Amino acid sequence: MKPISRFKCYSIILPAISVPLSLLGISLKRPRFYFVAATEWRTGPSTSSINYLDIVNDFTTWCHQRDLPKAMKALDSMQKHRLWADSVTYAELIKCCISHGAIRQGKRVHQHVFSNGYEPKTFLINTLLNMYVKFNLLDEAQFLFDQMLDRNVVSWTTMIAAYSNSELNYKALEMLIMMLRDGVRPNMYTYSSVLRACEGFSNLKQLHCCIIKVGLEFDVFVRSALIDIYSRWGDLQAALYVFNEMVTSDLVVWNSIIGGFAQNSDGDEAMNLFIRMKRSGFWADQSTLTSVLRACTSLALLELGRQVHVHVIKFNRDLVLNNALLDMYCKCGSLKDANYTFTLMAVKDVISWSTMIIGFAQNGYSRKALDLFEAMKSSGTKPNYITILGVLFACSHAGWVKDGQYYFESMKMLFGIDPGREHYGCMVDLLGRAGKLEEAVKLIQQMKCEPDAVTWRTLLGACRVHRNMDLAEYAAKKVLSLDRNDAGTYILLSNIYANTQRWEDVENLRRLMRDVGIKKEPGCSWIEINKQVHAFILGDKSHPQVNAIYGELNQIIWRLKEEGYVPDTNFVLQDLEGEQMENSLAYHSEKLAIVFGMMSLPKGKTVRIRKNLRICGDCHVFAKLLAKMENRSIVIRDPIRYHHFQDGACSCGDYW
């Protein structure tokens, strides 16, 4: 038998064996492993030989250049010849699959790195885990995780973050417990991820204690996550305590605390924190300005919002910041600025369109709202739940019953959106305002979801307008059965009794409120003058210029009476007589704020008022006549909508 040469012997074995170049004494700047074919070890050239180095080298090049089609073609050749590259190269290919959304190709890479007995490193398996998480294939990620023999902190954190981001909170918390039992110590990323999965203060307090125990409470990511979660659960004092525990030297933490207060509608404290941040030497970024704009929105402070806009101009604005700016102008009642901002936006998403549609609707421009809705559909942007809500709101506040019914009945068929409580509430409001109270009740009874207190309260408000006592009492009982401490319902029912001169029922209801411990929220209006906010309540005499304000108000009322103004005593909610009734109307908070604004602002400057309660009919007439007499624009924002008074008319068309 002819003996086999040493080189030919290698030619039989080596194709199945990988040989790193580092073992051959060759070093490379970029980490690559080349798998050398046995044919190159033979003596003499061979025309039929395959250059395995070129195959691996080409594959590595295409992976690092993120050329997915060529890399996958090279991968097929690698698989055919049973060759493998290094973990870094595969990681680059997996990242390329993620960026291209290439699920099928990603699974193909997964199959390759586990084929023919090849054992990928933990680093590479973690990259595959991350790929499945990014593709939202949590079952595949969990299956791969379960097969791992060596799980490190990155493996566990990837899965915990995945379940937390998908709002599978119980799974995220369960994974943390298993991680601890497995002897793997969580790091700052683990805790910052699992904190988002807390569903109550019990879990949150336990996690906070664990964080303190391992000494991670001062880590930037963990502090930020703690502030975020306490803010989300409404415990702003705990969030502020975490923030104040040490001097903050990171903008992320500042953004978390400012955002927490802004999202909880505590605009005052958010602005105070922003001022503290600036004084500490930090420069605001896009995230900071987004939160500050939300604070301005909750306070309805237009001038302050315009000052923030000056800072926004310095940035290359992203879509989120543009939408926050748009929302601020809409909520502050400056439709001119809002429309200008919307027109300049190069990129608009469904939030941009919906914000502008709702802005037009709330400010009394229902026709513009529906025209913009048609433009949105023409642009190819698909409406969402909130968009349709804005459209129905526009129809409701314009009294367009047929239009509202069309959009409501076709929203599922045209846009695939199931009506929710808010949509039903808009329809109940639309029918109720139009006097179709029986149809409104019928619609409530047909709701697919259980009507809540807001739905019944909407019907109660319609009963007040049309003075339907029997249905009002029925709706009020429904509200109180769901929320016995709802002060608004007691007040609405009391107003209905007062409007029908049922003073004994008013007194009985007020006595019941006192017994239950429910207090009527006093009417309050505020106005921004020279960067200061001035607040007024009914009959307020605490303002430094109170005598001048009352004197000016009395003169204005006398002049308006000469123009035909007659105080509407139907809005007096006490059993008073004659002049007493008129006096109780004269000093409503919005009247005091309007007069102070006219005294303090230059002639021609718009007077902008924010009010915590719905504007009464008498103040509505007062504002219309005063705007005409003084040739002045007056804007009043109440909890429901905006009223733009000019030339003796209101943008609501006296329909609110």
Side-chain angles (χ1 to χ4, degrees):
M1 179 176 177
K2 187 176 180 179
I4 301 175
S5 71
R6 178 168 59 91
F7 295 109
K8 287 189 177 180
C9 190
Y10 278 127
S11 71
I12 296 171
I13 300 171
L14 279 176
I17 302 176
S18 61
V19 182
L21 283 182
S22 59
L23 296 181
L24 303 179
I26 301 173
S27 63
L28 296 171
K29 291 181 180 180
R30 186 167 57 189
R32 299 182 187 174
F33 286 98
Y34 292 89
F35 298 88
V36 184
T39 52
E40 297 185 73
W41 291 60
R42 293 176 181 168
T43 55
S46 172
T47 57
S48 62
S49 65
I50 299 173
N51 194 328
Y52 294 111
L53 277 172
D54 286 345
I55 295 174
V56 178
N57 199 20
D58 287 345
F59 174 71
T60 303
T61 300
W62 303 136
C63 289
H64 283 278
Q65 290 182 1
R66 300 288 180 92
D67 190 328
L68 185 59
K70 291 182 179 179
M72 293 307 299
K73 185 176 180 180
L75 182 73
D76 291 337
S77 184
M78 297 264 292
Q79 181 70 21
K80 177 181 177 181
H81 297 290
R82 303 178 71 181
L83 302 172
W84 291 271
D86 60 279
S87 295
V88 174
T89 300
Y90 287 124
E92 289 297 314
L93 179 55
I94 293 167
K95 291 174 186 176
C96 185
C97 291
I98 294 172
S99 64
H100 285 80
I103 299 176
R104 182 175 60 82
Q105 289 87 338
K107 289 183 176 181
R108 178 75 183 83
V109 178
H110 179 182
Q111 181 186 18
H112 169 73
V113 298
F114 277 94
S115 63
N116 298 318
Y118 183 75
E119 296 181 1
K121 295 181 179 179
T122 302
F123 154 73
L124 182 54
I125 302 176
N126 286 340
T127 307
L128 285 167
L129 270 183
N130 181 59
M131 177 191 75
Y132 284 123
V133 168
K134 290 289 176 60
F135 290 148
N136 201 31
L137 299 173
L138 297 190
D139 289 339
E140 285 85 344
Q142 184 66 60
F143 181 81
L144 177 60
F145 179 82
D146 291 339
Q147 304 304 311
M148 292 179 69
L149 298 177
D150 181 23
R151 305 182 188 116
N152 60 18
V153 66
V154 176
S155 317
W156 286 100
T157 301
T158 300
M159 293 305 301
I160 289 171
Y163 285 123
S164 180
N165 291 335
S166 298
E167 298 184 0
L168 295 170
N169 297 332
Y170 71 98
K171 288 288 293 182
L173 293 169
E174 184 182 84
M175 292 293 286
L176 178 67
I177 295 171
M178 293 170 61
M179 177 184 185
L180 293 169
R181 288 175 179 172
D182 205 40
V184 180
R185 182 175 177 177
N187 63 15
M188 68 284 289
Y189 303 110
T190 316
Y191 281 118
S192 61
S193 296
V194 79
L195 278 168
R196 296 196 302 270
C198 291
E199 293 187 329
F201 282 110
S202 176
N203 287 336
L204 178 54
K205 297 292 185 183
Q206 291 180 57
L207 278 173
H208 197 167
C209 289
C210 290
I211 289 166
I212 294 172
K213 186 176 179 180
V214 297
L216 286 174
E217 70 271 26
F218 297 135
D219 176 82
V220 169
F221 294 101
V222 176
R223 282 185 76 200
S224 179
L226 279 168
I227 291 169
D228 288 341
I229 191 63
Y230 275 120
S231 299
R232 189 204 303 173
W233 285 99
D235 193 345
L236 295 179
Q237 290 307 309
L240 195 58
Y241 178 79
V242 172
F243 175 78
N244 287 329
E245 275 186 307
M246 66 174 291
V247 176
T248 301
S249 58
D250 195 281
L251 184 60
V252 174
V253 180
W254 278 107
N255 285 343
S256 292
I257 192 66
I258 293 171
F261 278 92
Q263 289 167 10
N264 281 276
S265 299
D266 192 340
D268 282 329
E269 187 59 33
M271 294 306 301
N272 289 335
L273 286 162
F274 177 60
I275 293 169
R276 278 178 59 186
M277 187 194 88
K278 297 287 286 181
R279 288 174 178 170
S280 298
F282 288 87
W283 288 89
D285 64 5
Q286 291 173 312
S287 178
T288 319
L289 294 175
T290 299
S291 296
V292 173
L293 283 170
R294 286 177 181 155
C296 296
T297 301
S298 67
L299 295 170
L301 298 178
L302 178 62
E303 295 305 319
L304 188 59
R306 282 176 172 156
Q307 292 177 48
V308 178
H309 190 174
V310 173
H311 292 279
V312 171
I313 293 173
K314 301 174 185 177
F315 287 88
N316 183 16
R317 288 175 280 175
D318 61 11
L319 185 58
V320 175
L321 185 54
N322 267 331
N323 284 340
L325 185 64
L326 180 64
D327 187 49
M328 184 274 293
Y329 279 127
C330 285
K331 296 280 176 62
C332 290
S334 181
L335 265 292
K336 182 179 179 181
D337 290 318
N339 199 34
Y340 180 75
T341 301
F342 181 78
T343 303
L344 288 182
M345 289 174 64
V347 179
K348 302 179 182 74
D349 63 358
V350 65
I351 296 174
S352 317
W353 289 97
S354 301
T355 300
M356 199 67 226
I357 289 170
I358 293 173
F360 277 131
Q362 287 185 320
N363 282 274
Y365 303 103
S366 295
R367 175 45 56 196
K368 288 186 177 181
L370 295 191
D371 288 344
L372 190 63
F373 178 59
E374 294 302 320
M376 174 186 180
K377 291 190 293 182
S378 299
S379 74
T381 306
K382 185 180 179 181
N384 65 7
Y385 188 97
I386 301 299
T387 317
I388 303 300
L389 195 62
V391 170
L392 294 177
F393 189 93
C395 295
S396 171
H397 286 266
W400 297 336
V401 177
K402 289 185 178 180
D403 289 304
Q405 288 176 327
Y406 166 75
Y407 287 118
F408 179 76
E409 292 168 2
S410 62
M411 58 187 286
K412 174 65 175 177
M413 180 180 66
L414 294 180
F415 310 114
I417 301 170
D418 290 311
R421 281 195 180 91
E422 293 88 351
H423 299 108
Y424 280 103
C426 273
M427 288 304 298
V428 170
D429 188 45
L430 172 60
L431 295 170
R433 288 171 183 274
K436 300 178 181 293
L437 297 178
E438 291 183 4
E439 290 185 38
V441 173
K442 185 177 179 181
L443 182 64
I444 292 175
Q445 294 170 346
Q446 293 173 348
M447 285 177 64
K448 294 181 180 179
C449 48
E450 194 69 24
D452 60 0
V454 176
T455 308
W456 288 110
R457 197 183 301 122
T458 301
L459 179 64
L460 178 60
C463 294
R464 181 192 64 80
V465 174
H466 297 285
R467 302 193 179 189
N468 187 320
M469 285 304 308
D470 293 335
L471 188 55
E473 290 178 328
Y474 171 75
K477 288 178 181 178
K478 286 290 187 179
V479 176
L480 296 177
S481 68
L482 295 168
D483 184 4
R484 181 156 184 80
N485 295 320
D486 180 43
T489 297
Y490 289 101
I491 301 304
L492 262 177
L493 192 57
S494 174
N495 293 354
I496 293 171
Y497 287 146
N499 287 337
T500 53
Q501 309 295 309
R502 292 172 57 174
W503 301 113
E504 185 177 345
D505 289 326
V506 171
E507 182 56 36
N508 291 336
L509 194 61
R510 294 297 174 98
R511 187 182 301 112
L512 176 61
M513 290 175 65
R514 288 193 295 271
D515 293 342
V516 178
I518 297 173
K519 294 182 179 180
K520 177 184 181 297
E521 182 182 8
C524 180
S525 300
W526 53 97
I527 182 172
E528 181 187 7
I529 304 288
N530 296 327
K531 301 180 183 180
Q532 287 188 327
V533 178
H534 300 258
F536 299 88
I537 60 173
L538 175 65
D540 186 18
K541 294 187 178 180
S542 61
H543 195 277
Q545 296 175 251
V546 61
N547 293 329
I549 294 171
Y550 272 69
E552 182 67 20
L553 176 56
N554 290 331
Q555 286 188 30
I556 287 174
I557 291 175
W558 179 75
R559 289 165 57 201
L560 287 177
K561 284 183 177 180
E562 288 189 331
E563 297 293 327
Y565 167 61
V566 178
D568 190 345
T569 55
N570 286 322
F571 294 94
V572 177
L573 305 180
Q574 302 175 45
D575 189 8
L576 303 175
E577 295 182 357
E579 190 175 339
Q580 285 181 309
M581 299 178 75
E582 291 191 13
N583 287 338
S584 71
L585 284 172
Y587 306 117
H588 278 191
S589 63
E590 54 264 60
K591 290 188 177 80
L592 297 173
I594 290 171
V595 170
F596 178 66
M598 297 187 71
M599 292 169 54
S600 306
L601 295 170
K603 195 165 182 66
K605 183 80 170 178
T606 300
V607 177
R608 299 180 183 276
I609 309 295
R610 172 93 186 269
K611 190 175 177 352
N612 66 330
L613 301 178
R614 183 178 181 271
I615 185 173
C616 80
D618 180 69
C619 289
H620 196 269
V621 173
F622 174 87
K624 283 199 304 181
L625 295 175
L626 183 57
K628 182 178 181 180
M629 185 175 72
E630 295 292 327
N631 192 25
R632 172 94 71 153
S633 292
I634 300 171
V635 179
I636 298 180
R637 172 186 173 183
D638 68 19
I640 306 298
R641 64 177 302 157
Y642 303 77
H643 299 266
H644 295 254
F645 301 96
Q646 193 164 14
D647 298 328
C650 179
S651 60
C652 74
D654 297 336
Y655 194 90
W656 83 98

